[in-house]
Structure formats: structure tokens, C-alpha cells
Amino acid sequence: MDGKLFTTHLLDWYRVNGRDLPWRRDPSPYAIWISEIMAQQTQMDRVVSYFTRWMDRFPDLITLARAKEEDVLKSWEGLGYYSRARNIQRSAAILVREHGGVFPSDPAVIRALPGVGPYTAGAVASIAFGLPEPAVDANVLRVFARLLDLDSPVSEAPVRRTVEQAVRSLIPAGNPGDFNQALMELGALVCSRRPGCTQCPVASHCLARAAGVAESRPVIRPRRDVLRIEMASGVLLHQGRVLIQKRRPDDVWPGLWEFPGGCVEQGETPRQALVREFREEVELAVEPLEKLTVITYAYTRYRVTMHCYLCRYVGPREPQPVFNEAVAGGFVSPERLHDYAFPAGHRRLIEFLEQDSRLIKPFSADSLS
DNA sequence: GACACGTGGTA
DNA sequence: TTACCAAGTGT
């Protein structure tokens, strides 16, 4: 491949077609770092609104390091992979404590931050500091799987090394950041799952196109099967307030809040599961009343059907939950639910509740019991 | 290397 | 409706 010509074609295309993303206007190391962490395993279009709100709320490392975890998670709510938010805050604390609040330019130091792997380290080093480091993401893997007509699954380590080498050999000394972003932008806008070879600025360099196999690149290894599970969640209302709990840091949805509930076991009805889960998780006896709604959602390899019930407390005294499966919890006013970060499925349950007049106006104490 | 970790858009 | 999958990292 003629590297000089390839790079010229690619950068010329990028100057015309590159998107006007907010962090491209002021590519500070902090902004680039945040945008790259947010963009992991999602699409840039989805990141923009989160990024704008984040920079408004946490404009610099000091502010972020001092922020409450609760506020950080609330700002991350809906983006998924919530350990990223925790790692960002851990990193901010490290950078303030050990680097005087100045973002480091050394790729090895960037790479050592929690949540920063080879891709993000290369992206920040090249985009924010102009260093000639490769930033190989799924876009770049796909682009080079076609350019070089690679017939091995792109998830294999040797393919990644091949692509990193190829990027290193092509990366221009003048603007490595634009080069890396141009490769990713090409993958996102032109060389996507359905390759748009007719609009591609580097089609003349592409071996897969020459061989007529661009559509069958990259080679993808088959995924693991999806698991379907049934769950039950309970909205326990007591004197106009609702019970929620905060999930453990080592579990799925670390630090997020939820309505108590759990998996429906074999031979169990959702109602029975709910009674059992409330007993196990919060040591409360409850009675599921009406079924509110059924919510289906997916996370990682699970496809969940969540049966949602309105519940009431059945007991002699005031309910005193014991949080066996959570790090915190309590009864909160429905109006305050939006202060807490919830997983997507529970957020949809809250949306449903907000359309229920009984919850929008706080209950009178005796309307259910 | 395999697996866990979330979510919403797209075909 | 189902399946795929996206600016990946940690264990």
C-alpha cells in the first residue's frame, strides 16, 4: 500500500466529512479522556448529550475528584457499563493526588489509569497530545480487516497486533490524532457493517474490495447464546413512600438503585418470587397487590421479562427493612426517585409509575392499608 | 482466551 | 420480534 497517498486521501476526506463533535472544538486532555471512556462500546451520537451535561457538571479533574459518587452515577445513568463511572472518579482522585491535577501525556501513565486500556490510552495520547500512538477500536479493526482482506476473526489477538502495526506504519507525524479519528470516522460513516465502497476515499487501497469480499469482512466469531430470565420487582408503598435499595459495588449495576425483587425460580409464580425476595433481601413481609406492568429489557447476554407489582407491607409494626443484598436503602418519596440512578428496566418502571395518579400525588397513609 | 459488564439503534 | 452490534476494559 502507498502509505503517503492513503493518508492524504483519508485526511482530505476527514476534513470535509468529520462530524462536529463537542470535544473536537476544545480537545483538552480531560475532555478527550471523558469522551473516550463514554464512547466505549456505544456510538458517538449517543455520547454527545451525556458529554455536554458532564462537562457542565464536572468541568475539570478537581471538581470530579470532589464530586459525590451519587452525582457521578446519576450523570452516567443510561450509558451502561457503570464501573466506567467509578473508574473515572478513581482516576480523577489519582491524578489530583499524584499528578497535581494535571493530565499526564505519557502513554504508559495514561494506560495505567483504571478503565484505560490500549485503545483509550492511544486515543488520548494521539488526540489530546499529538503523539504517534495507534488507537485501534472496532471501527479500525473493521476498516483494516477490509483494507488488508484479513480472514481471521478480528477478536483474535494476532489480528489486533497486525492492525496496530499497520496503523503505526501509516500514522503521520504531523497529526496522529486526526489520522486516528479519521480511521474511526471512516469506519463509522462509510466502512460500516454495510460498506459504502462507492463513497470511500481509500477504496483504491482496499484488498477486500478488489477481491469482491468487502461484505464478508470482518470475520466475526459467533456469540454466546442469549439467556431468557423472568424477574419480579415490587413497588412497596408505605405511607406514601416507596422502598428502594442501592446495589453492591461488585454486582451488575454497581452503585445503582432498584426496587427490591429478583429472579423467578422454577415452579414459582412471579408473586411468590416477590414475597420470597422481599423476605430474603430486606426481611419484610409483603403482599403483592395488582400487577402494574411487564417490562422487557436486555443487558449483556440476558433478555429479561420483569413482572412489576404494587405491594403493601403486612406486619404488626412499622416496616424496618434490613438490607441483606444492598449497601443502602430506605423509603423515599416518589417525587425524589429522580435523584437516584436506576438501571434502564427500573427507569421504565418509574416512567410507568409517573403516569399513575396514585403515585404522582403522595398516598394518604391509609389508602392501601 | 473466555467471560462479564448495559443500552438503544438498526435491519 | 429477534439478532446484531457499537470510539473496550477488567478479571
Side-chain angles (χ1 to χ4, degrees), chain A residues 19-68:
Chain A
R19 288 169 290 187
D20 180 24
L21 300 169
W23 50 88
R24 287 180 177 164
R25 301 194 163 195
D26 172 28
S28 72
Y30 175 70
I32 297 300
W33 171 56
I34 295 297
S35 70
E36 290 298 342
I37 301 287
M38 283 186 170
Q40 291 172 5
Q41 292 290 279
T42 187
Q43 274 114 193
M44 281 305 190
D45 293 342
R46 246 175 80 62
V47 167
V48 171
S49 63
Y50 281 92
F51 175 84
T52 304
R53 270 182 283 129
W54 183 281
M55 295 304 281
D56 198 40
R57 184 143 202 186
F58 313 112
D60 50 57
L61 282 172
I62 299 273
T63 311
L64 179 57
R66 291 178 180 163
K68 293 182 191 150

Side-chain angles (χ1 to χ4, degrees), chain A residues 312-343:
Chain A
R312 72 175 188 122
Y313 171 65
V314 287
R317 302 174 304 279
E318 285 298 289
Q320 295 192 333
V322 178
F323 295 99
N324 293 320
E325 301 294 334
V327 294
F331 286 93
V332 303
S333 167
E335 290 74 28
R336 296 262 63 85
L337 285 176
H338 63 257
D339 292 340
Y340 304 86
F342 286 83

Side-chain angles (χ1 to χ4, degrees), chain A residues 39-336:
Chain A
Q40 291 172 5
Q41 292 290 279
T42 187
Q43 274 114 193
M44 281 305 190
D45 293 342
R46 246 175 80 62
V47 167
V48 171
S49 63
Y50 281 92
F51 175 84
T52 304
R53 270 182 283 129
W54 183 281
M55 295 304 281
D56 198 40
R57 184 143 202 186
F58 313 112
D60 50 57
L61 282 172
I62 299 273
T63 311
L64 179 57
R66 291 178 180 163
K68 293 182 191 150
E69 184 204 69
E70 210 63 37
D71 294 335
V72 170
L73 283 174
K74 186 64 189 173
S75 296
W76 205 267
E77 182 185 36
L79 261 183
Y81 292 127
Y82 296 94
S83 63
R84 292 181 296 169
R86 176 185 313 275
N87 285 335
I88 278 182
Q89 220 182 355
R90 283 177 57 203
S91 296
I94 292 169
L95 293 175
V96 167
R97 178 160 30 87
E98 298 178 12
H99 296 83
V102 179
F103 205 98
S105 59
D106 182 343
V109 176
I110 301 172
R111 173 70 179 81
L113 294 171
V116 174
Y119 163 74
T120 303
V124 174
S126 63
I127 300 170
F129 294 106
L131 299 175
E133 295 289 323
V136 177
D137 73 334
N139 286 305
V140 179
L141 282 174
R142 185 172 57 255
V143 167
F144 276 90
R146 287 173 178 154
L147 284 172
L148 306 179
D149 192 16
L150 305 175
D151 57 4
S152 300
V154 288
S155 53
E156 292 178 358
V159 174
R160 168 173 291 276
R161 283 194 291 272
T162 299
V163 173
E164 279 173 355
Q165 284 300 327
V167 172
R168 276 190 193 282
S169 73
L170 291 166
I171 199 163
N175 45 3
D178 279 351
F179 180 76
N180 281 337
Q181 291 184 90
L183 280 176
M184 294 188 273
E185 202 84 334
L186 183 73
L189 302 182
V190 174
C191 194
S192 51
R193 178 132 283 293
R194 293 246 160 258
C197 299
T198 57
Q199 332 156 43
C200 180
V202 292
S204 64
H205 302 267
C206 185
L207 295 181
R209 167 141 167 89
V213 295
E215 297 260 359
S216 46
R217 300 285 178 270
V219 175
I220 303 290
R221 232 207 299 263
R223 305 181 165 219
R224 298 196 60 186
D225 289 346
V226 169
L227 299 180
R228 287 160 214 288
I229 53 179
E230 302 271 319
M231 301 196 73
S233 288
V235 179
L236 174 58
L237 264 175
H238 186 77
Q239 298 186 343
R241 297 194 300 167
V242 59
L243 184 66
I244 59 174
Q245 59 182 359
K246 185 179 169 79
R247 295 183 61 86
R248 294 176 174 282
D250 55 341
D251 203 352
V252 67
W253 299 301
L256 271 66
W257 293 74
E258 66 174 4
F259 302 97
C263 277
V264 180
E265 309 288 352
Q266 275 290 330
E268 220 176 25
T269 67
R271 276 192 157 83
Q272 291 168 333
L274 206 48
V275 170
R276 176 180 53 74
E277 292 284 354
F278 268 85
R279 194 173 59 235
E280 294 172 357
E281 288 187 344
V282 293
E283 299 187 13
L284 289 179
V286 302
E287 177 188 7
L289 302 169
E290 78 201 67
K291 188 168 205 169
L292 293 169
T293 183
V294 177
I295 291 167
T296 60
Y297 63 94
Y299 73 96
T300 63
R301 56 191 290 245
Y302 299 96
R303 181 154 172 72
V304 181
T305 302
M306 185 169 72
H307 304 265
C308 307
Y309 292 87
L310 188 61
C311 297
R312 72 175 188 122
Y313 171 65
V314 287
R317 302 174 304 279
E318 285 298 289
Q320 295 192 333
V322 178
F323 295 99
N324 293 320
E325 301 294 334
V327 294
F331 286 93
V332 303
S333 167
E335 290 74 28
R336 296 262 63 85

